[in-house]
Structure formats: structure tokens, C-alpha cells
Amino acid sequence: QELSYVHMHNVTDSVNYIFRHYRRDMDQVHQHRSTTDYAPYLKHMIIEPDLVEFLERVRPVYQLAISTNRTTTMKPLLKAFGLENYFEKIVTAGDVANPKPAPDALLDILDFCGCKPEETIYIGDSIVDRHHTSTIPIPLIAFKNRELEAEFHVNSFMEILQLEPFLRSV
């Protein structure tokens, strides 16, 4: 239950949830978290095997952006995998007053890109992503999560190119 929660939520909410039974020590917990270097943990992450190929195919055709509940780890993560130059806009939980599932990051991205919701599509894997997109509304591609209510479901990035919205353009 904790792993599922942490996967979907921003770092502050996640830490508060994990340490919910130790409320009196939360200042110490957040102090430690804010000074922890996450770089050594990045080597344990595994990139999806077709992500770079997918980005190479869609980057010339579409504006790409990220809305994430990550904060300070997002840019080092992108750099570690050589992905930082694929995205026009990256909005983390630390960049907006109200992180996902609130629509703040998506509204920021739409404004930056000059796009309307109906010209946009979001790839996500959790109920937080569904809530994030439903308030605008923006169609959701559920990535590796068949149980998630979404307009589309895929198990790999390259499958996205076979979806109706992409057939005519990539």
C-alpha cells in the first residue's frame, strides 16, 4: 500500500504518509529528506526499452512536456538517461502551488505550449494521473495499467504510435 501511494504522490505527501505514525518527528524527517542526495539511487532505475526510440519519432512532430510529482530528482533523472533535450517544458511538484492531481501543472504546460486540451494527450500510469487529466479534460493513455480508466491503454511506448490520434502524423 505504501509503495503504491509513494509511486503516485509528491515527495512531501509521500513522506508524510510513510511516517504518519511518527508525526512528532516530521521536521527531522523532512530536514533529512531535503539534504539527501538521490543521485546514487538513479542507477537502480531502468529505462523503458523503447522510450528513446519513441521520443525520437514523436519529437519532430509534437511538443513534449512532463508533468510530474517528482521534485528535485526530475532533472538529474533526465540527465542520467540522456533525456533532458526531448522536452520543451518540465513541471515538477515543486514548480506549482498545487501538484498533481490538481491541474496547475497541466495548465502551465498548455499555456507554455499554446495548446488547447483537445490538442493534447497525456501518458500516465496511475489514478492520480487520471484525476490530473480529468479536470481539464485531457485524454489519457494508460501506460502498463489495464485497470486504469483511460481513453487508451498500451504496454509499450511504441504501441502509442498505433493509436488513432497518432496514425496520421508519425
Side-chain angles (χ1 to χ4, degrees), residues 84-104:
E84 66 267 34
N85 294 322
Y86 287 103
F87 302 95
E88 278 83 11
K89 181 78 171 168
I90 299 164
V91 182
T92 71
D95 297 327
V96 290
N98 303 297
K100 291 193 312 184
D104 299 30

Side-chain angles (χ1 to χ4, degrees), residues 138-149:
I138 291 175
L140 175 66
I141 299 173
F143 189 80
K144 291 188 174 183
N145 186 346
R146 293 276 172 199
E147 285 76 46
L148 185 60
E149 179 187 326

Side-chain angles (χ1 to χ4, degrees), residues 15-73:
V15 169
N16 287 338
Y17 183 74
I18 291 170
F19 289 92
R20 65 193 175 278
H21 303 298
Y22 305 96
R23 286 291 188 199
R24 69 178 192 276
D25 301 322
M26 289 311 295
D27 288 340
Q28 285 180 290
V29 169
H30 283 293
Q31 174 60 33
H32 178 72
R33 178 193 58 79
S34 69
T35 60
T36 299
D37 179 11
Y38 289 90
Y41 303 104
L42 297 177
K43 66 183 177 190
H44 299 289
M45 298 185 78
I46 301 168
I47 192 171
E48 286 291 325
D50 62 343
L51 176 59
V52 173
E53 181 183 3
F54 171 76
L55 293 172
E56 288 286 333
R57 293 274 302 273
V58 298
R59 176 73 175 92
V61 182
Y62 298 104
Q63 294 181 79
L64 304 178
I66 294 175
S67 170
T68 180
N69 267 338
R70 286 184 171 277
T71 55
T72 58
T73 61

Side-chain angles (χ1 to χ4, degrees), residues 119-134:
E119 300 170 321
T120 307
I121 199 156
Y122 188 95
I123 304 166
D125 61 4
S126 74
I127 191 66
V128 171
D129 293 319
R130 173 75 282 173
H131 292 300
H132 189 45
T133 60
S134 65

